[in-house]
């Protein structure tokens, strides 16, 4: 960052929205003041806990948590940016309290923390007393919007939402489309449930409906009537299990095919061209993501060169080779030695399809799509969006194991593998640090290892 104007212009683009009544903490490293961690909290979260309110906000703990993460990020210095319409110098105000708490924590390890105030009309350094540099109302915000960084962000196509809610809210599709998706999801789930059941209970069981080998029972291609349903074709339990297994594999393959077709449709669209995805297909994709092999196959498609492994995973044709391939792909997301940055050509349309699934299917079916959106955001280094989508997933399914692990990684400040590798390289090159891992890095590796293993 060349100066404070560049930094203040960059923060909203990094967050994706204009902060309001917030404190933003930024870590800067190296001679070129490389921006690292950017963390935002509400000013109300930095108030001291009141007596008799054990469940209320604990501002001291929040300030300590923020300071610990800035130090762990390898910062040479920290900058606090207050976004508030109130006077941050008022002794009893929330903004003043936030500054005092953060400085008390940061100055112990990073003395001289700089504080800037951005109001709805201007910006100024909080401690500046030069009226020419920082007039009482602050310098005009137009200076930030016309900065070099702001121009670069616009050229990259980056946008800033007006509010946090606007940034994170996914608006529901029209009711007619949601109804079509809901019905398609129910039918697709029912097909999967029956096939899965018949791989375990070839002679029938708790689920009603014709058995495989009886008229009208079989599916030729994932739910479509086939010739194999003629009486007498599947005469033994083993044959019925084998037949159900083939049909379940076809169901997985067709589900993955629907996903790939939707992603391809979005990817092939011209910039700015609206894309209309089939509500029926979105409903089926939403239902299929509840099946772990299909969800894992979709995750695999986010990394280049995984077409065969993804298909075999969706078809449940797992063996040592697919397990190793899947492990290698997950390492490309979480491992600092093998991690790669996400490929925008793959992840951008994938995110669009997942968001369309969320806006079409009923809430009780959204957890897998939310989880994949959280992984995508985390992989891109957007911790705020990742945390929001993890929260969405756990709001639907509080016991979702992978969502719980990812939430722990986000709360622990564990970045994706490629970011950790770049951080380690930067620290070695510019700060002369050794190869040895710190205690914090060891904990981060443990959390990312758990994420890869789930």
């Amino acid at each position: 960052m060349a100066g404070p104007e560049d930094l203040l212009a960059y923060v909203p683009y990094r967050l994706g929205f204009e902060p309001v009544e917030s404190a933003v903490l930024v870590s800067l490293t190296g001679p070129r003041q490389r921006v690292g961690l950017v963390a935002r909290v509400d000013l109300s979260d930095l108030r001291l806990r009141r007596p008799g309110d054990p469940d209320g906000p604990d501002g001291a703990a929040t300030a300590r948590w923020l300071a610990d993460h800035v130090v762990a990020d390898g910062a040479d210095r920290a900058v606090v940016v207050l976004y508030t319409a109130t006077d941050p110098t008022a002794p009893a105000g929330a903004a003043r309290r936030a500054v005092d708490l953060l400085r008390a924590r940061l100055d112990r390890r990073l003395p001289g923390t700089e504080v800037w105030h951005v109001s709805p009309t201007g910006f100024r350094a909080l401690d500046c007393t030069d009226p020419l540099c920082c007039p009482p109302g602050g310098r005009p915000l137009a200076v930030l919007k016309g900065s070099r960084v702001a121009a670069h962000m616009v050229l990259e196509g980056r946008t800033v939402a007006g509010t946090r809610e606007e940034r994170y809210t996914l608006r529901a599709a029209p009711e007619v489309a949601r109804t079509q998706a809901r019905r398609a999801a129910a039918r697709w789930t029912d097909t999967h449930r029956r096939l899965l059941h018949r791989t375990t209970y070839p002679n029938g069981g708790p689920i009603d409906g014709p058995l495989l080998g009886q008229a009208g029972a079989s599916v030729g291609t994932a739910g479509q009537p086939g010739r194999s349903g003629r009486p007498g074709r599947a005469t033994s339990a083993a044959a019925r299990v084998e037949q159900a297994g083939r049909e379940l594999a076809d169901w997985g393959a067709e589900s993955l095919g629907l996903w790939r077709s939707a992603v391809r449709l979005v990817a092939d669209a011209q910039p700015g061209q609206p894309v209309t995805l089939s509500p029926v297909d979105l409903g089926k994709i939403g239902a299929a993501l509840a099946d772990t092999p299909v969800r894992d196959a979709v995750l695999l498609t986010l990394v280049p060169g995984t077409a065969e492994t993804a298909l075999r995973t969706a078809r449940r044709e797992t063996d040592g080779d697919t397990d190793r391939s899947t492990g290698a792909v997950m390492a490309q997301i979480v491992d600092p030695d093998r991690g790669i940055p996400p490929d925008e050509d793959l992840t951008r349309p994938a995110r669009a399809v997942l968001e369309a699934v969320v806006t079409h299917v009923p809430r009780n079916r959204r957890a897998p799509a939310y989880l994949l959106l959280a992984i995508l955001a985390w992989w891109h280094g957007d911790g705020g969006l990742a945390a929001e989508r993890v929260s969405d997933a756990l709001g639907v399914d509080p016991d979702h194991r992978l969502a719980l692990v990812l939430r722990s990684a986000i709360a622990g400040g564990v970045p994706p593998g490629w970011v950790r590798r770049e951080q380690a390289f930067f620290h070695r090159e510019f700060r002369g640090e050794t190869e040895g891992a710190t205690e914090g890095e060891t904990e981060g590796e443990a959390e990312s290892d758990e994420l890869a293993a789930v």
Side-chain angles (χ1 to χ4, degrees):
M1 290 291 163
E5 293 86 357
D6 282 347
L7 177 63
L8 296 178
Y10 175 70
V11 167
Y13 284 99
R14 176 69 174 265
L15 296 175
F17 61 93
E18 296 283 358
V20 176
E21 299 304 317
S22 303
V24 176
L25 191 56
V26 182
S27 76
L28 298 172
T29 308
R32 298 183 62 185
Q33 296 297 276
R34 173 180 176 269
V35 176
L37 175 73
V38 177
R40 186 208 68 87
V41 295
D42 293 336
L43 289 178
S44 59
D45 289 333
L46 288 167
R47 74 170 188 235
L48 292 175
R49 178 166 289 174
R50 298 170 181 171
D53 185 17
D55 297 325
D58 186 347
T62 301
R64 181 172 61 251
W65 180 83
L66 288 169
D68 287 347
H69 281 301
V70 167
V71 172
D73 194 48
D76 292 321
R77 72 185 186 99
V79 175
V80 175
V81 187
L82 296 175
Y83 292 86
T84 177
T86 64
D87 181 5
T89 63
R96 181 79 256 174
R97 181 183 60 244
V99 170
D100 292 343
L101 280 173
L102 289 171
R103 271 185 166 162
R105 283 292 173 183
L106 289 167
D107 282 350
R108 297 176 185 178
R109 290 182 267 185
L110 297 170
T113 299
E114 204 173 308
V115 181
W116 287 81
H117 172 217
V118 179
S119 74
T121 58
F123 69 97
R124 62 187 295 268
L126 192 62
D127 299 323
C128 180
T129 57
D130 183 351
L132 296 178
C133 174
C134 297
R139 297 166 63 190
L141 296 179
V143 173
L144 304 183
K145 297 185 184 300
S147 72
R148 176 182 60 86
V149 166
H152 180 70
M153 293 290 108
V154 172
L155 288 174
E156 281 193 348
R158 303 276 290 273
T159 59
V160 178
T163 64
R164 180 177 182 274
E165 289 71 23
E166 182 183 339
R167 164 82 163 100
Y168 294 140
T169 299
L170 297 175
R171 303 193 182 281
E175 184 176 356
V176 172
R178 284 186 282 121
T179 298
Q180 292 176 324
R182 173 175 55 80
R183 291 173 176 170
R187 291 192 296 268
W188 207 237
T189 295
D190 186 62
T191 298
H192 172 262
R193 183 171 59 98
R194 290 178 180 277
L195 290 173
L196 192 62
H197 179 77
R198 286 166 182 164
T199 62
T200 306
Y201 301 101
N203 293 316
I207 297 180
D208 295 332
L211 301 177
L212 290 176
Q214 295 178 348
S218 68
V219 288
T221 306
Q224 300 301 318
R227 295 182 179 180
S228 58
R230 287 180 290 181
R233 291 297 299 270
T235 57
S236 69
R240 288 193 291 272
V241 168
E242 183 179 351
Q243 184 177 358
R246 287 196 300 268
E247 292 169 356
L248 185 60
D250 289 342
W251 180 93
E254 187 169 346
S255 297
L256 183 62
L258 291 170
W259 162 261
R260 283 176 165 159
S261 295
V263 169
R264 189 161 49 247
L265 188 62
V266 174
D268 291 344
Q270 295 298 316
Q273 176 186 351
V275 178
T276 301
L277 299 173
S278 163
V280 171
D281 289 350
L282 291 172
K284 288 183 176 181
I285 293 169
L289 289 176
D291 179 61
T292 300
V294 172
R295 184 205 68 190
D296 291 349
V298 166
L299 182 59
L300 291 173
T301 65
L302 304 179
V303 177
T306 61
E308 182 180 352
T309 302
L311 179 58
R312 294 186 64 194
T313 299
R315 291 183 59 85
R316 287 173 160 76
E317 296 172 353
T318 55
D319 55 23
D321 290 339
T322 55
D323 287 345
R324 283 188 291 273
S325 297
T326 301
V329 167
M330 288 303 300
Q332 290 180 304
I333 298 176
V334 305
D335 189 277
D337 294 325
R338 292 181 285 174
I340 61 172
D343 184 339
E344 283 279 356
D345 291 338
L346 295 177
T347 59
R348 180 190 58 79
R351 174 180 169 180
V353 174
L354 289 169
E355 289 180 343
V357 168
V358 165
T359 61
H360 280 76
V361 301
R363 182 176 181 275
N364 65 338
R365 294 186 181 276
R366 296 175 189 169
Y370 278 139
L371 185 276
L372 291 172
L373 284 168
I375 292 175
L376 276 176
W378 179 76
W379 192 12
H380 278 269
D382 191 340
L385 181 58
E388 188 75 13
R389 294 295 171 249
V390 162
S391 178
D392 290 336
L394 292 173
V396 178
D397 182 1
D399 299 320
H400 197 297
R401 185 185 173 199
L402 184 51
L404 290 170
V405 173
L406 183 57
R407 183 179 66 177
S408 296
I410 295 169
V414 180
W418 67 276
V419 173
R420 292 170 63 197
R421 185 180 65 251
E422 288 190 357
Q423 287 176 334
F425 173 80
F426 181 85
H427 293 161
R428 288 195 300 269
E429 290 292 312
F430 295 100
R431 304 182 67 186
E433 293 186 0
T434 63
E435 295 282 349
T438 66
E439 181 181 352
E441 289 170 336
T442 302
E443 292 173 358
E445 289 169 1
E447 286 176 307
S448 58
D449 286 346
E450 185 179 1
L451 183 62
V454 174

